[in-house]
Structures are given as structure tokens and as C-alpha cells.
Amino acid sequence: MSQSGATVSQECITAYNDLKLAKKYKYIVFKLSDDNKQIVVEEASPDKDWENFREKLINATSKNKSGAVGKGPRYAVYDFEYNLASGDGVRNKLTFIAWSPDDAGVLPKMIYASSKEALKRSLTGIATELQANDPDDIEYDTIIKVVSKGLAG
């Protein structure tokens, strides 16, 4: 277990391997359990529609200490596939997204920040990591430029 963060559940690693090796999913959204002690899978989906995935992050919620529900951070892994502008074929990049909206509560943001490394260490083969704090940060065109290092066509 990391110093102040949550532990990673085995289901996270299993789902990630299903995405990476078996191509069973297009993305996985991870969240903290209700007691903030463990990172769990919120959803693993084969859905290739970026906007559906983006909405899940934007609409994510978490509870604060008093039980009120507000905007919530999430982690996600998305299997990006893109064509190279040079015509040299298709590339895949597993991308880790740390979604922490600016208007989320301080406590959830702190716990997510302190737990991120534990999750990333458990998921081998991540090509790119993105920190997103605003819906504009997770526009498809913005992200594909970063993921492909400007080589997508």
C-alpha cells in the first residue's frame, strides 16, 4: 500500500489485462471505493464512442465527508487507435487519464492524487499519461494530438 493512498483491487489488474491483451474493452474507468481504501473498476466497456466515455468522466461523482455528492475524480485507461498521417499504418497507445475536475471536492482530489502512482505501477504497458482538470482537456482532438505526438492523420 502506498503511504497515504488506496490499494489497487485485483479486479483492476484483471480488467486492464483483458483490455491490453485480449482487446476485450476499449476503456476502463476506475474509482475509489466508498470507504476510499481501494481502487476498483467502475466500468469496463467495449464502446468505441469517445463522447460516451468523455461523458462518464465529466458526470462522475464522489461523496465528501458529510455525505454530499459532488463532481468526482476518476482514473481511466483508454486504448487509442489512430492512423499515422504518413500513411504508415495504424498505431495503438494505452493512455492513462487522471481526471480531477477543478470543481471536485478537496478531499477526493487529495486521495486520488495520492493513490495514482499505486494504480499506474500495477498497470504495465501504459504509453501515455494525461492529467485532465477541465472538460476541454478531454476533447478527442486535443488528446489524440498528445497521444500520437502529432503524428495522427
Side-chain angles (χ1 to χ4, degrees):
M1 181 168 162
S2 59
Q3 289 138 334
S4 59
T7 58
V8 178
S9 73
Q10 183 57 45
E11 71 170 337
C12 293
I13 297 160
T14 303
Y16 176 74
N17 285 333
D18 285 345
L19 178 149
K20 181 174 117 177
L21 303 172
K23 300 291 183 197
K24 192 169 163 185
Y25 306 119
K26 185 68 176 170
Y27 66 84
I28 305 167
V29 178
F30 303 96
K31 70 173 202 158
L32 284 167
S33 58
D34 290 339
D35 63 4
N36 291 331
K37 291 190 177 357
Q38 196 169 43
I39 300 167
V40 297
V41 172
E42 181 173 51
E43 180 178 1
S45 174
D47 184 356
K48 291 185 165 129
D49 187 324
W50 174 261
E51 286 306 312
N52 289 345
F53 167 74
R54 188 174 173 269
E55 288 298 313
K56 288 186 190 329
L57 293 183
I58 292 170
N59 296 322
T61 59
S62 61
K63 288 182 183 166
N64 64 20
K65 276 195 264 192
S66 64
V69 174
K71 296 264 185 187
R74 288 294 186 273
Y75 311 112
V77 172
Y78 196 93
D79 185 3
F80 277 97
E81 188 174 283
Y82 58 91
N83 291 304
L84 292 171
S86 61
D88 289 336
V90 176
R91 297 289 186 270
N92 278 72
K93 289 253 176 100
L94 295 176
T95 303
F96 182 89
I97 300 169
W99 169 247
S100 188
D102 290 329
D103 50 358
V106 173
L107 183 64
K109 288 204 297 194
M110 284 177 19
I111 297 167
Y112 272 83
S114 67
S115 304
K116 180 173 85 171
E117 287 305 316
L119 179 59
K120 276 182 38 198
R121 272 197 308 273
S122 330
L123 308 177
T124 53
I126 297 288
T128 309
E129 178 187 344
L130 298 166
Q131 175 66 47
N133 304 90
D134 181 89
D136 291 346
D137 295 342
I138 50 175
E139 288 286 348
Y140 184 81
D141 291 343
T142 307
I143 288 190
I144 201 68
K145 279 187 187 111
V146 174
V147 170
S148 70
K149 296 184 172 71
L151 299 176

